[in-house]
């Protein structure tokens, strides 16, 4: 009886070990073209590393997804994080530099009014504590994550309730 339990435990342990090892080989690896995004609106691009994408996802989910889950904007459903919406903002926010600038000091969609006291940002980190410890590298990773999402889940990102 004890031998049977030991053998069963051994097989269970081996099964779990091989399941864990094989799961990591099936993880989606994004190709270089998917990880390449507009850097500053002048045609210059940047290719994010897989680590930056993973970090950006983690930071976005921790700091932004409460209001922007799936690329929507819960407080204003007319404005989402889809590339077309980002490109029509003033200034256009469809590149890394301008998206980082927005995260640091957000303005209204037309760019005329500061909304830093209403929208989490680096400028209003005393009001929104999740923003306090974000570095420029963190902001680059989060911005990159937002900009590659339309390439990864084009039908869902920014599309609202029908998907989320």
């Amino acid at each position: 009886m004890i031998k049977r339990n030991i053998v069963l435990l051994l097989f269970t342990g081996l099964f779990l070990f091989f399941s864990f090892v094989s799961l990591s080989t099936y993880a989606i690896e994004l190709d270089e073209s998917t990880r390449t995004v507009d850097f500053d609106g002048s045609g210059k691009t940047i290719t994010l590393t897989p680590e930056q994408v993973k970090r950006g996802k983690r930071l976005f989910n921790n700091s932004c997804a409460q209001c922007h889950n799936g690329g929507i904007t819960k407080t204003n459903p007319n404005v989402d994080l889809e590339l077309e919406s980002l490109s029509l903002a003033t200034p256009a926010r469809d590149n890394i530099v301008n998206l980082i600038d927005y995260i640091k000091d957000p303005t209204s969609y037309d760019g005329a009014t500061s909304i830093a006291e209403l929208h989490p940002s680096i400028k209003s980190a005393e009001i929104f504590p999740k923003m306090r410890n974000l570095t420029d590298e963190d902001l680059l990773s989060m911005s990159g994550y937002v900009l590659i999402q339309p390439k990864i889940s084009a039908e869902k990102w920014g599309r609202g309730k029908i998907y989320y």
Side-chain angles (χ1 to χ4, degrees):
M1 182 73 165
I2 293 176
K3 272 187 177 180
R4 183 173 165 230
N5 287 342
I6 291 174
V7 169
L8 185 60
L9 185 63
L10 180 64
F11 280 123
T12 304
L14 287 172
F15 174 76
L16 290 174
F17 173 76
F18 285 115
S19 295
F20 178 73
V21 170
S22 66
L23 281 178
S24 63
T25 61
Y26 291 119
I28 296 175
E29 188 64 37
L30 302 175
D31 64 2
E32 194 170 302
S33 66
T34 303
R35 292 182 284 113
T36 301
V37 294
D38 188 3
F39 182 69
D40 61 4
S42 70
K44 190 176 178 183
T45 61
I46 182 172
T47 302
L48 302 165
T49 66
E51 292 75 27
Q52 285 175 309
V53 174
K54 289 175 192 172
R55 182 179 188 182
K57 178 180 181 179
R58 180 180 52 79
L59 292 166
F60 179 86
N61 286 338
N62 184 47
S63 303
C64 309
Q66 184 174 354
C67 295
H68 293 291
N69 188 28
I72 64 166
T73 302
K74 289 182 182 178
T75 57
N76 184 357
N78 297 318
V79 180
D80 56 46
L81 300 180
E82 202 274 324
L83 284 179
E84 182 181 6
S85 296
L86 293 173
S87 70
L88 295 173
T90 304
R93 298 175 185 137
D94 60 346
N95 62 70
I96 294 285
V97 170
N98 287 354
L99 206 47
I100 288 174
D101 182 57
Y102 180 82
I103 296 169
K104 286 182 176 182
D105 187 9
T107 58
S108 56
Y109 196 69
D110 63 3
T113 310
S114 173
I115 59 170
E117 290 188 13
L118 304 172
H119 190 280
S121 64
I122 302 302
K123 184 175 182 179
S124 60
E126 69 280 351
I127 302 171
F128 301 101
K130 288 185 178 183
M131 305 301 284
R132 276 189 193 140
N133 298 321
L134 294 176
T135 65
D136 284 343
E137 180 60 32
D138 293 337
L139 299 181
L140 186 141
S141 296
M142 283 187 350
S143 299
Y145 172 76
V146 168
L147 294 175
I148 67 167
Q149 285 312 295
K151 296 178 184 180
I152 296 171
S153 56
E155 292 180 10
K156 292 182 179 181
W157 185 254
R159 301 293 189 227
K161 286 187 200 181
I162 57 173
Y163 293 105
Y164 297 99

